[in-house]
Amino acid sequence: MSGAESFVPTPLLLSDSARTRLQSLIEEEGNSHLKLRVFVTGGGCSGFQYGFDFSEEVAEDDTVIEFGEVALVVDPLSYQYLVGSTVDFEEGLAGARFLVQNPNATTTCGCGASFMV
């Protein structure tokens, strides 16, 4: 690596279970252009909450992180709160859901949907 290059860490990781579920949802929709948008909004019992949505559209200032045939999209405001996190998918008694494992969160709620930094 030359002096002009710098190492940029992977902003978000995608677990194998999340990747598998994302691939199957995209196949069910029959639209290979769909991406999973991960975002952070104010609210929730711990200050911020995570959100997920399928999107074909990518804004000019969005970050797209590709994992083979699937991709995550993150807006610039959410990006700062999500760097280093892992998007996971779990199925259990409470149902099936995508979730974020965020090492930057200092407090999380019991359900894992909201956090504080």
Side-chain angles (χ1 to χ4, degrees):
M1 197 164 26
S2 71
E5 295 175 3
S6 63
F7 174 74
V8 178
T10 302
L12 274 171
L13 300 173
L14 189 66
S15 73
D16 289 341
S17 62
R19 184 179 312 195
T20 300
R21 182 62 178 153
L22 189 51
Q23 282 176 321
S24 69
L25 289 170
I26 290 170
E27 288 170 11
E28 285 175 25
E29 289 295 318
N31 183 350
S32 62
H33 298 290
L34 286 176
K35 296 167 184 51
L36 183 64
R37 181 173 289 281
V38 183
F39 57 93
V40 173
T41 59
C45 49
S46 294
F48 295 101
Q49 60 188 5
Y50 302 111
F52 301 95
D53 193 11
F54 278 106
S55 179
E56 278 186 87
E57 297 179 22
V58 176
E60 197 173 292
D61 57 351
D62 282 341
T63 298
V64 177
I65 306 129
E66 295 183 356
F67 299 92
E69 296 178 16
V70 299
L72 300 177
V73 178
V74 183
D75 65 85
L77 182 62
S78 299
Y79 183 93
Q80 63 187 323
Y81 296 109
L82 294 169
V83 169
S85 297
T86 300
V87 175
D88 197 6
F89 180 79
E90 69 175 14
E91 293 183 78
L93 295 175
R97 66 186 178 138
F98 285 102
L99 61 116
V100 175
Q101 297 171 353
N102 189 340
N104 305 310
T106 57
T107 306
T108 59
C109 67
C111 66
S114 67
F115 69 103
M116 184 182 301
V117 288

